[in-house]
Amino acid sequence: MSTVHSGQDEQSAGLATPGADATSVAPGAGDAYVAPTINRSWRGVWLRTISLASLVVVWFIAALFFDDSVLPGPVRVFGAMVENLGDSETYFHLWTTVYRVVVGMLIAVVLGLVIGLAMGLSKFGEQFLDSWILVAFTVPSVVYGILSILWFGLNDFAAIIAIGITAVPAVSINMWQGVKAIDLSLVRMGQAFHFSRASILRKLVVPQVIPYLLAALRYALGLSWKIATVVELIGLSSGVGFQLNYWYGLFNMTQVLAWTALFTIVLLLIEFLILKPTEHWLTRWRPTMQN
């Protein structure tokens, strides 16, 4: 006796007919929300462009109600910035600050990574170091700048040390929380499948910590720029902070905003040309979810 199954029965039973078009198969639960990477990339570019343009529009409208000595408009500020870019001295001050920020940030990332791992992997390390990190985090950054200048003098080394010390607590806290957030069930699964220690570390532990490390890098970059400006402003004779202090002394708000906008653009270039592509490459294993 033969049993005949209708197409409707096959569909209701979830059976696939040989030779059927692959597009007729219903996607998985998570597949329906995966967005095309290219479309999301262009969408992100447009949204960021519109966001920055709206900020400039708000700035332009607000400047209409104030004098140039209080809030000059974006046209005047960007005109001054373009004029500054025609002077070779601008690149010297800009490069000096970028150099101090990058070196100080690298010191902070290395020390913060070591301290954060020690606190996350060891109960003793957590109990011994958490008070140090919390106290160091609450000390104002200007204090580190003053101490570094008093200890090491008015030079690049003082600025770099001040930047590094200021950013270490933030990086340490991010890495500490990242290590504590590791899914140990994945590690146990790797051990059950007889993964080597190197494979567990490379394939299961490091990918979970990388997002926290990238967040620490972004935070350290912003914090390093702020403390670099403070140190240059209170004691050094070069850098963006020095220029801000110089034009502040002349009550020239246009130049103050021009230098601020210039270095802000540099930070945005670092973010979108270095950090963003690096993040995309390091976290390429994660699915892109559509909102």
Side-chain angles (χ1 to χ4, degrees):
M1 178 178 181
S2 60
T3 305
V4 179
H5 297 280
S6 66
Q8 182 177 1
D9 293 337
E10 289 184 352
Q11 185 176 5
S12 61
L15 300 176
T17 304
D21 188 3
T23 58
S24 63
V25 180
D31 296 341
Y33 301 98
V34 177
T37 304
I38 297 178
N39 292 343
R40 281 186 57 83
S41 298
W42 279 110
R43 180 171 178 265
V45 170
W46 279 109
L47 285 177
R48 292 186 179 94
T49 303
I50 294 173
S51 176
L52 291 175
S54 63
L55 178 62
V56 174
V57 170
V58 172
W59 178 10
F60 177 82
I61 295 174
L64 297 176
F65 299 94
F66 296 95
D67 187 76
D68 285 345
S69 60
V70 178
L71 183 63
V75 176
R76 186 178 180 87
V77 169
F78 285 110
M81 186 177 67
V82 172
E83 183 180 349
N84 291 339
L85 289 174
D87 186 358
S88 59
E89 189 177 355
T90 298
Y91 298 95
F92 166 74
H93 291 290
L94 194 61
W95 163 251
T96 300
T97 300
V98 171
Y99 166 75
R100 292 166 179 165
V101 167
V102 171
V103 177
M105 186 184 69
L106 290 178
I107 293 175
V109 169
V110 172
L111 293 179
L113 184 62
V114 172
I115 295 173
L117 290 176
M119 294 174 66
L121 297 174
S122 170
K123 192 67 175 179
F124 171 79
E126 179 178 3
Q127 294 174 347
F128 186 80
L129 294 172
D130 61 353
S131 298
W132 290 25
I133 294 301
L134 293 176
V135 170
F137 192 72
T138 57
V139 174
S141 57
V142 67
V143 174
Y144 294 118
I146 293 173
L147 291 176
S148 296
I149 289 176
L150 291 176
W151 287 339
F152 306 110
L154 304 174
N155 51 52
D156 286 346
F157 186 72
I160 291 171
I161 293 299
I163 293 169
I165 295 175
T166 303
V168 162
V171 178
S172 301
I173 292 175
N174 271 279
M175 295 309 304
W176 173 26
Q177 296 303 316
V179 173
K180 291 176 70 69
I182 291 176
D183 189 353
L184 295 179
S185 62
L186 294 177
V187 177
R188 296 190 185 97
M189 182 187 67
Q191 293 172 343
F193 282 95
H194 303 289
F195 283 14
S196 65
R197 285 180 174 268
S199 295
I200 291 175
L201 182 65
R202 179 170 55 88
K203 297 181 179 180
L204 301 178
V205 175
V206 172
Q208 297 185 68
V209 176
I210 281 177
Y212 292 89
L213 177 59
L214 294 172
L217 281 173
R218 285 192 171 90
Y219 195 88
L221 179 62
L223 198 59
S224 298
W225 145 242
K226 294 175 184 177
I227 184 58
T229 306
V230 170
V231 175
E232 291 169 350
L233 189 146
I234 64 178
L236 300 185
S237 58
S238 60
V240 174
F242 167 75
Q243 286 293 320
L244 291 174
N245 189 38
Y246 173 78
W247 291 110
Y248 162 76
L250 297 178
F251 296 97
N252 191 327
M253 181 61 72
T254 300
Q255 284 290 353
V256 169
L257 292 180
W259 278 95
T260 303
L262 178 60
F263 200 78
T264 301
I265 291 174
V266 172
L267 290 181
L268 290 175
L269 291 176
I270 294 175
E271 166 70 21
F272 290 107
L273 297 182
I274 298 177
L275 293 182
K276 278 286 186 183
T278 302
E279 178 184 17
H280 177 72
W281 184 78
L282 291 176
T283 60
R284 61 191 183 280
W285 52 271
R286 295 192 300 184
T288 302
M289 305 303 291
Q290 182 178 14
N291 295 327

